[in-house]
Amino acid sequence: MPLYGNIPVSGAKNAALKLMCAALLSDRSIYFENAPNALRDIQSQTDLMQFLGCAIKREGSLMAINASNVENTVAPYDLVRKMRTSILVLGPLLARFGHAKVSLPGGCAIGTRPVDLHIKGLEEMGATITLEEGYINAQAPAEGLQGAKILFPKVSVGATENLMMAATLAKGETVLANAAREPEIIDLGECLIKMGAKISGLGTETIRIEGVSSPLGKAHHEILPDRIEAGTYIIAAGMTGGTVRLENARIEHLSAALGHLSQAGIEVEQDGRDIIVHRDPSRRIKGCDIMTEPYPGFPTDLQAQFMSMLTIAQGAGLVTETIFENRFMHVPELCRMGADITVQGNSAIVRGVEKLKGAEVMATDLRASVALVLAGLVAEGDTIVNRIYHLERGYENIVGKLSNAGAQIERIGGE
Ligand code: UD1
């Protein structure tokens, strides 16, 4: 059934989680607007930060964090295992308190996802790091972390953010070369600057941070809109056909996907603060090829959703995943719904079929789950998506948002 109506886009999960970690660098209150407070990941991060001693208030889409009373610098396995991003408390805790012990993280099962770049960078800033019983044990020199020139052998969002935060309180200048350029990193950097950090080069491959004497100060910050959530709903409307207005979303953050969407037959345009998506329901989606790359390339976090769309395209499409080695777990589930997909190494050939058929499916990571929901929107008959735990980590009120736009979707069972 075609989608029509308005869908509000929430604040970016992948910015909000790091912004919360940034609050650890300050002994004053940090206020956030447009926080995606209903997400499970935000709850997990809140639990961890409160365990460390932060005071956190969340109401509607507002959040306030005060880390002035933090005394504990140990992030235990129980709180960290749910979410890989917990590793991002390591840099801020170490920079502000001189020591930190963080359990090696869990998170989505989409590959081995090591944290060696985070650790190596902190060592280059003078930290002594040992791995003991599943924990990263880090100690800064007595005079604090030292600025350093760090060249990443590989572009990493998390390592760029962890080291950028750590460097705000280090002695002297830190240069991060081959840094990641994601909009969420720019958002984090802009908030750090409001808190008193000295950072230049955000959004480029080289970020420079001049350390200031600790700790950072207060700030008010509006979190940028979630480009992956917006991209997901663009694909939803593209798959079903119809016209949808995505409230508070920025097309420029999806520039790598726009060409592919237009090739597929989906019209997308910015209208003030909103994005309007249109696809003529009488015409089929057309197949096209995508390859994931670090920003500004095609986002790996939209790969599963795009593949879901290609399953019903006219013609075939080649999907190549270059960021994570094990990010095709949605493939067997989509095939159970009648999709025709062949995986070869890190590529998948998707041959479009006329109709998917509803089935009971299960998702093992966040974006894979939503790809199955999208497939369910266009499949004949009922689709039951199990383990929506993952879905609720990253999509606020997805059932309400989609059903308001005309989708037949309901949450059944569970808490
Ligand atoms: C972030 C996003 C995630 C997104 C990913 C890539 C958050 C909370 N998560 O994850 O949604 O899919 O960026 O856009 O923002 N790597 C190493 N060593 C390291 C760190 C990373 O080898 O120390 C590798 C990873 O295994 C992966 C690649 O580098 O192959 C990129 O990972 P990275 O950019 O660090 O992803 P995350 O920050 O974990």
PDB file of all heavy atoms in Angstrom, residues 154 291-294 298 300 303 320-325 328 346:
ATOM      1  N   LYS A 154      43.208   3.416   8.599  1.00  0.00           N
ATOM      2  CA  LYS A 154      41.887   3.088   8.062  1.00  0.00           C
ATOM      3  C   LYS A 154      40.925   4.150   8.605  1.00  0.00           C
ATOM      4  O   LYS A 154      41.095   4.600   9.735  1.00  0.00           O
ATOM      5  CB  LYS A 154      41.531   1.719   8.631  1.00  0.00           C
ATOM      6  CG  LYS A 154      40.257   1.117   8.189  1.00  0.00           C
ATOM      7  CD  LYS A 154      40.190  -0.300   8.762  1.00  0.00           C
ATOM      8  CE  LYS A 154      39.145  -1.090   8.015  1.00  0.00           C
ATOM      9  NZ  LYS A 154      39.115  -2.475   8.443  1.00  0.00           N
ATOM     10  N   MET A 291      27.829   0.775  -3.728  1.00  0.00           N
ATOM     11  CA  MET A 291      29.008   0.293  -2.999  1.00  0.00           C
ATOM     12  C   MET A 291      29.166   1.174  -1.759  1.00  0.00           C
ATOM     13  O   MET A 291      29.179   2.403  -1.874  1.00  0.00           O
ATOM     14  CB  MET A 291      30.253   0.401  -3.872  1.00  0.00           C
ATOM     15  CG  MET A 291      31.484  -0.087  -3.144  1.00  0.00           C
ATOM     16  SD  MET A 291      32.846  -0.428  -4.253  1.00  0.00           S
ATOM     17  CE  MET A 291      33.457   1.196  -4.506  1.00  0.00           C
ATOM     18  N   THR A 292      29.262   0.550  -0.595  1.00  0.00           N
ATOM     19  CA  THR A 292      29.386   1.348   0.629  1.00  0.00           C
ATOM     20  C   THR A 292      30.809   1.876   0.776  1.00  0.00           C
ATOM     21  O   THR A 292      31.774   1.208   0.381  1.00  0.00           O
ATOM     22  CB  THR A 292      29.030   0.516   1.873  1.00  0.00           C
ATOM     23  OG1 THR A 292      29.986  -0.548   2.002  1.00  0.00           O
ATOM     24  CG2 THR A 292      27.645  -0.077   1.776  1.00  0.00           C
ATOM     25  N   GLU A 293      30.917   3.066   1.326  1.00  0.00           N
ATOM     26  CA  GLU A 293      32.228   3.710   1.542  1.00  0.00           C
ATOM     27  C   GLU A 293      32.127   4.640   2.736  1.00  0.00           C
ATOM     28  O   GLU A 293      31.023   5.047   3.100  1.00  0.00           O
ATOM     29  CB  GLU A 293      32.587   4.552   0.309  1.00  0.00           C
ATOM     30  CG  GLU A 293      33.111   3.728  -0.856  1.00  0.00           C
ATOM     31  CD  GLU A 293      33.264   4.592  -2.098  1.00  0.00           C
ATOM     32  OE1 GLU A 293      32.320   5.320  -2.441  1.00  0.00           O
ATOM     33  OE2 GLU A 293      34.322   4.539  -2.699  1.00  0.00           O
ATOM     34  N   PRO A 294      33.263   5.043   3.309  1.00  0.00           N
ATOM     35  CA  PRO A 294      33.189   6.054   4.369  1.00  0.00           C
ATOM     36  C   PRO A 294      32.547   7.329   3.813  1.00  0.00           C
ATOM     37  O   PRO A 294      32.609   7.573   2.607  1.00  0.00           O
ATOM     38  CB  PRO A 294      34.660   6.320   4.732  1.00  0.00           C
ATOM     39  CG  PRO A 294      35.401   5.107   4.273  1.00  0.00           C
ATOM     40  CD  PRO A 294      34.661   4.607   3.068  1.00  0.00           C
ATOM     41  N   PHE A 298      28.499   6.132  -0.062  1.00  0.00           N
ATOM     42  CA  PHE A 298      27.209   5.527   0.295  1.00  0.00           C
ATOM     43  C   PHE A 298      27.318   4.863   1.664  1.00  0.00           C
ATOM     44  O   PHE A 298      28.186   4.034   1.910  1.00  0.00           O
ATOM     45  CB  PHE A 298      26.796   4.495  -0.776  1.00  0.00           C
ATOM     46  CG  PHE A 298      25.382   4.009  -0.612  1.00  0.00           C
ATOM     47  CD1 PHE A 298      24.354   4.588  -1.336  1.00  0.00           C
ATOM     48  CD2 PHE A 298      25.075   3.011   0.308  1.00  0.00           C
ATOM     49  CE1 PHE A 298      23.036   4.166  -1.159  1.00  0.00           C
ATOM     50  CE2 PHE A 298      23.762   2.590   0.497  1.00  0.00           C
ATOM     51  CZ  PHE A 298      22.742   3.168  -0.239  1.00  0.00           C
ATOM     52  N   THR A 300      27.152   2.517   4.834  1.00  0.00           N
ATOM     53  CA  THR A 300      26.925   1.100   5.125  1.00  0.00           C
ATOM     54  C   THR A 300      25.636   0.914   5.921  1.00  0.00           C
ATOM     55  O   THR A 300      24.969  -0.108   5.812  1.00  0.00           O
ATOM     56  CB  THR A 300      28.136   0.488   5.880  1.00  0.00           C
ATOM     57  OG1 THR A 300      27.806  -0.847   6.267  1.00  0.00           O
ATOM     58  CG2 THR A 300      28.531   1.263   7.119  1.00  0.00           C
ATOM     59  N   GLN A 303      22.793   0.152   3.628  1.00  0.00           N
ATOM     60  CA  GLN A 303      22.987  -0.930   2.647  1.00  0.00           C
ATOM     61  C   GLN A 303      21.860  -1.969   2.694  1.00  0.00           C
ATOM     62  O   GLN A 303      21.301  -2.348   1.656  1.00  0.00           O
ATOM     63  CB  GLN A 303      24.361  -1.568   2.900  1.00  0.00           C
ATOM     64  CG  GLN A 303      24.751  -2.694   1.989  1.00  0.00           C
ATOM     65  CD  GLN A 303      24.568  -4.030   2.692  1.00  0.00           C
ATOM     66  OE1 GLN A 303      23.618  -4.770   2.446  1.00  0.00           O
ATOM     67  NE2 GLN A 303      25.476  -4.349   3.605  1.00  0.00           N
ATOM     68  N   THR A 320      27.799  -3.858  -3.043  1.00  0.00           N
ATOM     69  CA  THR A 320      29.139  -4.191  -2.549  1.00  0.00           C
ATOM     70  C   THR A 320      29.363  -3.521  -1.200  1.00  0.00           C
ATOM     71  O   THR A 320      29.181  -2.310  -1.060  1.00  0.00           O
ATOM     72  CB  THR A 320      30.212  -3.744  -3.567  1.00  0.00           C
ATOM     73  OG1 THR A 320      29.889  -4.325  -4.827  1.00  0.00           O
ATOM     74  CG2 THR A 320      31.603  -4.201  -3.154  1.00  0.00           C
ATOM     75  N   GLU A 321      29.729  -4.316  -0.206  1.00  0.00           N
ATOM     76  CA  GLU A 321      29.935  -3.811   1.159  1.00  0.00           C
ATOM     77  C   GLU A 321      31.434  -3.747   1.435  1.00  0.00           C
ATOM     78  O   GLU A 321      32.104  -4.779   1.453  1.00  0.00           O
ATOM     79  CB  GLU A 321      29.220  -4.739   2.151  1.00  0.00           C
ATOM     80  CG  GLU A 321      29.497  -4.470   3.619  1.00  0.00           C
ATOM     81  CD  GLU A 321      29.090  -3.082   4.083  1.00  0.00           C
ATOM     82  OE1 GLU A 321      27.929  -2.710   3.922  1.00  0.00           O
ATOM     83  OE2 GLU A 321      29.975  -2.363   4.602  1.00  0.00           O
ATOM     84  N   THR A 322      31.967  -2.557   1.632  1.00  0.00           N
ATOM     85  CA  THR A 322      33.418  -2.447   1.832  1.00  0.00           C
ATOM     86  C   THR A 322      33.795  -2.092   3.271  1.00  0.00           C
ATOM     87  O   THR A 322      34.966  -2.064   3.618  1.00  0.00           O
ATOM     88  CB  THR A 322      34.055  -1.378   0.903  1.00  0.00           C
ATOM     89  OG1 THR A 322      33.685  -0.085   1.394  1.00  0.00           O
ATOM     90  CG2 THR A 322      33.610  -1.525  -0.535  1.00  0.00           C
ATOM     91  N   ILE A 323      32.807  -1.794   4.135  1.00  0.00           N
ATOM     92  CA  ILE A 323      33.147  -1.345   5.487  1.00  0.00           C
ATOM     93  C   ILE A 323      33.191  -2.512   6.480  1.00  0.00           C
ATOM     94  O   ILE A 323      34.145  -2.645   7.238  1.00  0.00           O
ATOM     95  CB  ILE A 323      32.139  -0.289   6.005  1.00  0.00           C
ATOM     96  CG1 ILE A 323      31.931   0.838   4.980  1.00  0.00           C
ATOM     97  CG2 ILE A 323      32.565   0.268   7.363  1.00  0.00           C
ATOM     98  CD1 ILE A 323      33.074   1.793   4.821  1.00  0.00           C
ATOM     99  N   PHE A 324      32.152  -3.322   6.493  1.00  0.00           N
ATOM    100  CA  PHE A 324      32.095  -4.454   7.427  1.00  0.00           C
ATOM    101  C   PHE A 324      32.072  -5.767   6.660  1.00  0.00           C
ATOM    102  O   PHE A 324      31.368  -5.894   5.655  1.00  0.00           O
ATOM    103  CB  PHE A 324      30.867  -4.342   8.333  1.00  0.00           C
ATOM    104  CG  PHE A 324      30.932  -3.159   9.264  1.00  0.00           C
ATOM    105  CD1 PHE A 324      30.101  -2.066   9.063  1.00  0.00           C
ATOM    106  CD2 PHE A 324      31.843  -3.119  10.307  1.00  0.00           C
ATOM    107  CE1 PHE A 324      30.165  -0.972   9.907  1.00  0.00           C
ATOM    108  CE2 PHE A 324      31.912  -2.029  11.157  1.00  0.00           C
ATOM    109  CZ  PHE A 324      31.081  -0.943  10.957  1.00  0.00           C
ATOM    110  N   GLU A 325      32.825  -6.743   7.148  1.00  0.00           N
ATOM    111  CA  GLU A 325      32.987  -7.980   6.377  1.00  0.00           C
ATOM    112  C   GLU A 325      31.811  -8.944   6.514  1.00  0.00           C
ATOM    113  O   GLU A 325      31.700  -9.897   5.778  1.00  0.00           O
ATOM    114  CB  GLU A 325      34.314  -8.674   6.761  1.00  0.00           C
ATOM    115  CG  GLU A 325      34.316  -9.399   8.088  1.00  0.00           C
ATOM    116  CD  GLU A 325      34.716  -8.516   9.262  1.00  0.00           C
ATOM    117  OE1 GLU A 325      34.591  -7.271   9.192  1.00  0.00           O
ATOM    118  OE2 GLU A 325      35.162  -9.078  10.263  1.00  0.00           O
ATOM    119  N   PHE A 328      25.835  -9.052   5.616  1.00  0.00           N
ATOM    120  CA  PHE A 328      24.803  -9.539   4.694  1.00  0.00           C
ATOM    121  C   PHE A 328      23.842 -10.490   5.405  1.00  0.00           C
ATOM    122  O   PHE A 328      23.261 -11.363   4.801  1.00  0.00           O
ATOM    123  CB  PHE A 328      25.449 -10.247   3.499  1.00  0.00           C
ATOM    124  CG  PHE A 328      26.043  -9.314   2.477  1.00  0.00           C
ATOM    125  CD1 PHE A 328      27.213  -9.645   1.805  1.00  0.00           C
ATOM    126  CD2 PHE A 328      25.430  -8.104   2.161  1.00  0.00           C
ATOM    127  CE1 PHE A 328      27.763  -8.800   0.847  1.00  0.00           C
ATOM    128  CE2 PHE A 328      25.968  -7.247   1.207  1.00  0.00           C
ATOM    129  CZ  PHE A 328      27.141  -7.588   0.551  1.00  0.00           C
ATOM    130  N   ASN A 346      32.260 -10.023  -0.780  1.00  0.00           N
ATOM    131  CA  ASN A 346      31.616  -8.856  -0.178  1.00  0.00           C
ATOM    132  C   ASN A 346      30.630  -8.182  -1.129  1.00  0.00           C
ATOM    133  O   ASN A 346      30.286  -7.017  -0.953  1.00  0.00           O
ATOM    134  CB  ASN A 346      32.666  -7.858   0.337  1.00  0.00           C
ATOM    135  CG  ASN A 346      33.449  -7.223  -0.787  1.00  0.00           C
ATOM    136  OD1 ASN A 346      33.451  -7.728  -1.914  1.00  0.00           O
ATOM    137  ND2 ASN A 346      34.094  -6.105  -0.498  1.00  0.00           N
TER     138      ASN A 346
END
